[in-house]
Amino acid sequence: MAKSITFIGLDVHKDTIAVALAEAGLRGEVREHGKIPNAAAALKALAMKLASAGRELRFCYEAGPCGYGIQRQLAGMRHDCTVVAPSLIPRKPGERIKTDRRDAINLAKLHRAGELTPVWVPDQAHEAIRDLVRARQAAVRTLRQARQQLSGFLLRHGYHYHRPAWTQLHRRWLASLRFEQAVHHIVLEDCIAAVEAATARRDRLEAHIEAALPEWALAPVVQALQALRGVGLVAAATLLAELGDITRFTNPRQLMAYLGLVPSEHSSGRTRRQGGITKAGNGAARRMLIEAAWSYRFPARISREQLLRQERLAKPIRDIAWKAQERLCRRYRQLARAGKLPTVITAAIARELAGFIWAIARQPQATTP
């Protein structure tokens, strides 16, 4: 005899978890269960109490700052637990009251109806790599902000470097600047120190990423993706850290939609209107693809650096990478001749590049024996 199913919605916060239950069936009872502390012992006691009636338990909660610890604990107790995407939860437009109790009840009812969209839950090793990659992204943002502050300070005082900046020559030029007020020299040195500290932090984190890759299960795929033009080690590691197992997408169109690189659309009747890309899904992975797509504005060729990255890769991987380069470079020129804006062209190239990334990730062997 099949077990009765109870759907459990958890509204998770830093200190508390609001719990609601929904019995299986169209007319099954939906009720509030109360609040429990957000602690492993309290969650274990809740699961044991609800399972004592011999029912199958199916938990769900929204992805958020509390991470995946609850999912891992419940999965370790052999209970089904789904982490859902908050932005894709159906909401009534007229609702103006939001409480923890209502949120938990709504989660339980929607979970029973199958209206929730689950997110991919990484294992602990993958989450550690992702945290490292995101720390590097934060360092890049800090470096960009420090450089902007230094450039703004110099511009206010009439100094502008008319050659490529942030080189050794640029650093020597900064040291040669003179100001009427002595305090301005202090500000200049402080800005330079901030840039140098942010640069050192970024480089240090990139070295840690490279050192951590050999122990990662997706390291062969990281190596394989570097066969593509514009995708170096950091870019490949960032893409896989943010996207996870790309083979879970059954076709490349799903990956493109997940990255938010497909055009938005508002059509009704015979009228069809398409707009800019949706920008849904993972923004960090999308930005990395956009950066890689800029390299396809140049003619197709295999550089020395790219050749070195491809030396240990299997021939199917190299063939896909060259096919991608031929197609995307040609596509870039076609769209440019059609008068499209460079940003629009790059978004289109990034969308097609995602398809080639999907093809490489599905290859059975990433490197030659």
Side-chain angles (χ1 to χ4, degrees), residues 59-135:
F59 294 84
C60 73
Y61 69 97
E62 298 180 30
C66 293
Y68 304 105
I70 292 175
Q71 193 276 341
R72 293 185 181 124
Q73 181 181 354
L74 292 172
M77 298 173 65
R78 300 185 182 278
H79 295 303
D80 180 79
C81 182
T82 302
V83 185
V84 303
S87 60
L88 299 179
I89 296 177
R91 303 189 188 279
K92 296 178 182 178
E95 283 189 347
R96 293 295 182 270
I97 300 177
K98 183 185 183 302
T99 63
D100 296 347
R101 171 182 169 275
R102 287 194 174 208
D103 288 345
I105 290 174
N106 191 43
L107 282 172
K109 290 167 65 176
L110 291 172
H111 191 32
R112 180 178 65 183
E115 296 292 332
L116 297 176
T117 303
V119 301
W120 181 75
V121 178
D123 58 27
Q124 289 181 318
H126 187 107
E127 190 174 14
I129 294 292
R130 190 173 66 180
D131 288 340
L132 182 59
V133 165
R134 289 182 177 178

Side-chain angles (χ1 to χ4, degrees), residues 136-185:
R136 186 255 173 198
Q137 294 170 7
V140 170
R141 289 193 295 269
T142 302
L143 174 59
R144 182 169 58 246
Q145 183 180 17
R147 286 176 171 178
Q148 289 172 345
Q149 289 176 346
L150 175 56
S151 298
F153 169 75
L154 295 176
L155 188 61
R156 288 196 304 272
H157 294 278
Y159 291 110
H160 181 67
Y161 192 67
H162 296 281
R163 286 178 288 181
W166 316 117
T167 62
Q168 190 65 33
L169 288 176
H170 180 241
R171 178 65 181 87
R172 293 170 184 171
W173 176 78
L174 291 174
S176 68
L177 298 180
R178 294 292 181 267
F179 298 93
E180 293 182 2
Q181 300 294 325
V183 174
H184 287 156
H185 288 280

Side-chain angles (χ1 to χ4, degrees), residues 281-299:
N282 193 290
R286 182 173 59 252
R287 285 192 297 272
M288 197 59 67
L289 272 179
I290 294 290
E291 289 182 15
W294 280 105
S295 65
Y296 291 93
R297 66 188 187 274
F298 302 110

